[in-house]
Amino acid sequence: MDTEVIFKKVKTPREVARVAYLADIIWKEHYIPIIGKPQVAYMLEHFQSAPAIEKQLAGGISYYSIESDGRAQGYLAFEKQGKTLFLSKIYLLDSYRGKGIGKAAMYFVEEMAHELLCTEIALTVNKYNDRSIHAYTRMGFSKKGGEITDIGGGFVMDDYRMVKLMKNTPCDATGSSPV
């Protein structure tokens, strides 16, 4: 990757609207073949619309725009849950996948986990999202079981939970100091 990737914290209504716009594009190009058009439409409205993102921000979830060459190329979102950094979203436009931007985003997430004194990063990924599962595995994540979550509207998320243990954290998995 030749250009610098910038992670800009999403704060303003305009930034939220831009993330919702990206979500609409990314979800339609990536998830319709996996979960179908009706579920994608439902999830965009209930979880990735501007009002839904505003509510998540108010609830403590941090969103970041992923930018390079002056353009937004994707976004990510996470929240600290005890000693776990839960990566709830990491999405790139299709034309930017496979260019090292996702790897740069994961390094950013790891830096945030270290700053927040987390001992692991966890995420969920659709069981049929082979491309993403493979990418997460290459980045050091391992499957820790499955989860089926009813999200309303007659839809479920059928996911794997994947976890990456952090190295060189000041606390071990119990939260106690090594000193």
Side-chain angles (χ1 to χ4, degrees):
M1 183 175 52
D2 296 332
T3 60
E4 180 183 16
V5 180
I6 298 167
F7 302 93
K8 184 177 178 188
K9 189 159 183 139
V10 174
K11 297 177 185 174
T12 68
R14 182 181 175 139
E15 293 164 342
V16 168
R18 183 167 61 169
V19 168
Y21 173 78
L22 285 169
D24 189 69
I25 295 168
I26 293 166
W27 278 65
K28 287 176 180 173
E29 67 187 13
H30 187 75
Y31 285 105
I32 287 175
I34 298 171
I35 60 175
K37 198 175 203 176
Q39 185 165 344
V40 167
Y42 179 86
M43 292 181 77
L44 283 169
E45 179 185 344
H46 289 87
F47 304 113
Q48 295 292 263
S49 63
I53 294 168
E54 292 276 2
K55 187 175 179 181
Q56 291 169 48
L57 289 170
I61 295 176
S62 297
Y63 270 79
Y64 287 83
S65 175
I66 302 170
E67 302 178 11
S68 183
D69 295 328
R71 295 183 197 155
Q73 300 170 346
Y75 65 100
L76 60 85
F78 59 80
E79 112 181 274
K80 185 174 182 191
Q81 299 174 343
K83 292 290 181 183
T84 300
L85 184 76
F86 182 72
L87 178 59
S88 62
K89 294 152 189 69
I90 183 166
Y91 301 114
L92 289 173
L93 291 165
D94 190 52
S95 58
Y96 294 103
R97 293 186 193 133
K99 298 182 179 193
I101 297 166
K103 187 180 280 189
M106 195 56 72
Y107 287 142
F108 172 76
V109 170
E110 289 176 12
E111 287 175 20
M112 297 305 296
H114 281 296
E115 283 183 29
L116 295 169
L117 305 178
C118 295
T119 58
E120 66 181 15
I121 301 170
L123 57 87
T124 55
V125 59
N126 184 283
K127 288 180 180 175
Y128 304 101
N129 191 347
D130 296 330
R131 187 173 171 186
S132 294
I133 292 167
H134 182 69
Y136 293 135
T137 301
R138 279 194 333 257
M139 289 186 233
F141 285 80
S142 56
K143 293 178 189 172
K144 298 294 180 187
E147 300 178 4
I148 297 176
T149 306
D150 184 339
I151 58 169
F155 299 109
V156 298
M157 292 190 318
D158 190 6
D159 296 333
Y160 288 120
R161 181 173 179 85
M162 297 186 78
V163 174
K164 178 177 185 172
L165 298 178
M166 299 301 298
K167 297 177 182 168
N168 302 320
T169 56
C171 298
D172 66 16
T174 63
S176 62
S177 173
V179 180

